[in-house]
Amino acid sequence: MDLRFTADELAFRDEVQQFFRIAVPADIRRKCVLGQRLSKPELQRWTRILFEKGWATPAWDPEWGGTGWSPVQQYIFKEELHMAPAPEPLSFNVNMIGPVLIAFGTDEQKRRFLPSIARLDYWFCQGFSEPGAGSDLASLRTSARLEGDHYMVNGQKLWTSTAHHAEWCFLLVRTDPNAKKQQGITYLLMDMRSPGITVRPIVTIDGHHETNEMFLENVRIPVGNRIGEENKGWDYAKYLLGNERSGIARVGISKMRVRRAKELARNIDAGGRPLSEDRGFRERVALLEIELKALEITQMRLISAAAPAGKPDPKSSILKMKGSELQQAAAQLLLETAGYEAMEFDRDFLRGAHSTPSPHDWALTIAPNHYFARHVSIVGGSNEIQRNILAKTVLGL
Ligand SMILES: Cc1cc2nc3c(=O)[nH]c(=O)nc-3n(C[C@H](O)[C@H](O)[C@H](O)COP(=O)(O)OP(=O)(O)OC[C@H]3O[C@@H](n4cnc5c(N)ncnc54)[C@H](O)[C@@H]3O)c2cc1C
């Protein structure tokens, strides 16, 4: 098996690199390089640049805005985006609700939502998890009762990331409390301006407000906002989770972290010579790079053999598990390389509220942004759950 890119693929990579070099606005590029967080208007601005170029949603069906690229081209695009670095389009929109609508939505729903999802005119959040329904998602209790032409929804969602930015939410609700738990679930799209929704912030240990709890009290959702059939929501959710998990691998982010650690190590004194020449450091980097290459190859194999639309691919659990472990290992390497320089904590800087002309700018975001991104092994189904899925569906245990 020849794993080298063909001449056409190399030319495509040049084109993508060139685009990222010139198209990312300077202020957004600077924030990406420093690892600062983008505001909603900044991410919208960048998404619209991608949209105008026709590259906002490469993996979608070309009829609905996809590029028609081969799996390898899609892979190259994503990796170059991470390495540039340029902002990643909103995953809730591009990897989650968009593909679900394309696979299971009505033509009317597709026409109504897909262009706004691709341009980030609508920011979607994910209302799946609840207290007592995380790993065991099918135990969710938020109820929806059909009343004429709408559902009346009551319950609580937890960990709803970016709900405070969102215009819409894709939501799992229980419509049949008497059915087997996976069979009584329905998938709805909820307008976040509907009366009865309360969003309360959860501020995480890094001082950042990303995620929320969300209370729903007599929220009316029109029947026309239901995806597919009533009580079939679990099938659509599994399809979405397969996409979410494949998207979490993010080999480019890990590569970018390793590259950064290697750059730093050249200027760090380790007993009279640069850390980059230290045997232990070099072995650790080599091991990580080998594992990343193996993941890269696995990802390309899985993408090439992608399951047909509508069928969740349990093997995406491999990418999720290994990809998140390597992201954590690369962040750990970066943190330990930077040492005490990375310990400073400046929340205003993280938000981009000021841009300290400090010689240690590069280090300020390592702990809070790279290291605390450890939650990748929890979101999208924890890694223990991925192992369970693999044991059952792939190994047949
Ligand atoms: C930062 C962050 C953002 C998130 N954003 C969103 C979001 O936007 N929308 C959303 O819907 N959800 C979101 N989540 C929720 C996420 O999907 C859940 O946290 C995750 O599914 C785990 O559920 P839990 O937290 O209830 O933990 P639990 O399910 O209580 O699990 C606790 C521990 O037990 C282990 N465990 C549980 N069951 C098993 C089992 N059967 N076998 C082996 N081990 C098991 C788990 O692996 C974990 O280590 C987010 C979570 C975090 C941390």
Side-chain angles (χ1 to χ4, degrees), residues 129-165:
S129 305
E130 298 182 3
S135 301
D136 186 13
L137 183 59
S139 290
L140 63 93
R141 285 183 301 182
T142 293
S143 70
R145 211 177 50 244
L146 191 55
E147 292 186 359
D149 62 356
H150 66 270
Y151 289 96
M152 186 67 88
V153 179
N154 281 283
Q156 183 192 347
K157 294 289 170 182
L158 191 59
W159 305 116
T160 325
S161 298
T162 70
H164 51 302
H165 292 319

Side-chain angles (χ1 to χ4, degrees), residues 92 126-129 134-135 158-161 211 375 378-382 384-385 388:
F92 296 125
Q126 178 184 28
F128 280 17
S129 305
S135 301
L158 191 59
W159 305 116
T160 325
S161 298
T211 193
H375 66 251
I378 302 174
V379 295
S382 72
E384 289 78 18
I385 296 303
N388 288 349

Side-chain angles (χ1 to χ4, degrees), residues 6 13 98 111 117 181 187 208 214 269 315 343 356-357 363 386:
T6 63
R13 190 175 68 182
R111 274 195 300 275
I117 288 173
K181 60 184 182 179
Y187 197 122
H208 186 49
M214 190 165 71
D269 179 65
K315 291 196 282 304
M343 289 297 125
T356 336
Q386 305 313 317

Side-chain angles (χ1 to χ4, degrees), residues 248 320-321 324-325 328 373-379 381-384 386:
I248 288 173
K320 198 271 160 176
M321 219 172 63
S324 56
E325 283 172 4
Q328 290 174 339
R374 295 187 68 75
H375 66 251
V376 284
S377 57
I378 302 174
V379 295
S382 72
N383 283 8
E384 289 78 18
Q386 305 313 317

Side-chain angles (χ1 to χ4, degrees), residues 20-281:
F20 286 135
R21 256 197 302 278
I22 55 170
V24 185
D27 57 327
I28 292 182
R29 177 184 299 283
R30 181 171 160 74
K31 278 188 135 182
C32 289
V33 169
L34 290 176
Q36 291 174 315
R37 287 165 183 143
L38 256 56
S39 66
K40 178 175 175 179
E42 284 165 341
L43 190 57
Q44 281 174 321
R45 183 150 52 101
W46 168 238
T47 305
R48 284 162 199 169
I49 292 171
L50 282 174
F51 184 83
E52 292 308 319
K53 174 79 177 163
W55 287 3
T57 54
W60 288 11
D61 182 335
E63 192 190 342
W64 295 104
T67 51
W69 288 339
S70 69
V72 176
Q73 285 176 307
Q74 290 183 40
Y75 179 81
I76 290 173
F77 176 76
K78 216 175 214 177
E79 177 162 294
E80 292 304 328
L81 179 125
H82 287 146
M83 300 273 285
E88 195 165 353
L90 186 70
S91 190
F92 296 125
N93 280 26
V94 173
N95 301 328
M96 299 193 213
I97 187 60
V100 166
L101 274 166
I102 290 169
F104 307 107
T106 61
D107 273 357
E108 194 194 329
Q109 287 171 334
K110 290 178 198 177
R111 274 195 300 275
R112 178 175 169 208
F113 285 106
L114 287 174
S116 304
I117 288 173
R119 265 179 51 88
L120 200 48
D121 296 335
Y122 291 160
W123 181 302
F124 265 84
C125 63
Q126 178 184 28
F128 280 17
S129 305
E130 298 182 3
S135 301
D136 186 13
L137 183 59
S139 290
L140 63 93
R141 285 183 301 182
T142 293
S143 70
R145 211 177 50 244
L146 191 55
E147 292 186 359
D149 62 356
H150 66 270
Y151 289 96
M152 186 67 88
V153 179
N154 281 283
Q156 183 192 347
K157 294 289 170 182
L158 191 59
W159 305 116
T160 325
S161 298
T162 70
H164 51 302
H165 292 319
E167 279 86 24
W168 285 87
C169 176
F170 49 90
L171 193 71
L172 292 182
V173 292
R174 184 157 303 285
T175 31
D176 184 352
N178 300 317
K180 195 178 149 215
K181 60 184 182 179
Q182 285 85 354
Q183 285 163 12
I185 292 172
T186 297
Y187 197 122
L188 300 175
L189 305 182
M190 177 173 77
D191 185 337
M192 291 294 282
R193 290 159 302 187
S194 316
I197 304 175
T198 308
V199 173
R200 286 201 202 139
I202 299 174
V203 177
T204 38
I205 193 170
D206 54 352
H208 186 49
H209 172 204
E210 164 96 358
T211 193
N212 302 277
E213 48 185 350
M214 190 165 71
F215 298 88
L216 308 174
E217 203 178 333
N218 292 330
V219 180
R220 291 163 64 101
I221 301 184
V223 173
N225 289 1
R226 187 183 70 213
I227 301 284
E229 292 176 50
E230 189 173 276
N231 295 325
K232 288 275 175 8
W234 189 247
D235 292 343
Y236 318 138
K238 278 196 297 186
Y239 176 66
L240 176 144
L241 289 169
N243 279 329
E244 182 182 3
R245 284 165 191 159
S246 310
I248 288 173
R250 295 193 180 98
V251 178
I253 286 191
S254 298
K255 278 189 175 178
M256 183 265 288
R257 285 180 182 154
V258 174
R259 187 181 66 190
R260 192 87 186 95
K262 282 161 75 175
E263 284 164 5
L264 294 180
R266 280 190 217 117
N267 296 314
I268 291 173
D269 179 65
R273 56 181 185 161
L275 178 64
S276 53
E277 288 174 19
D278 176 80
R279 190 188 165 104
F281 180 83

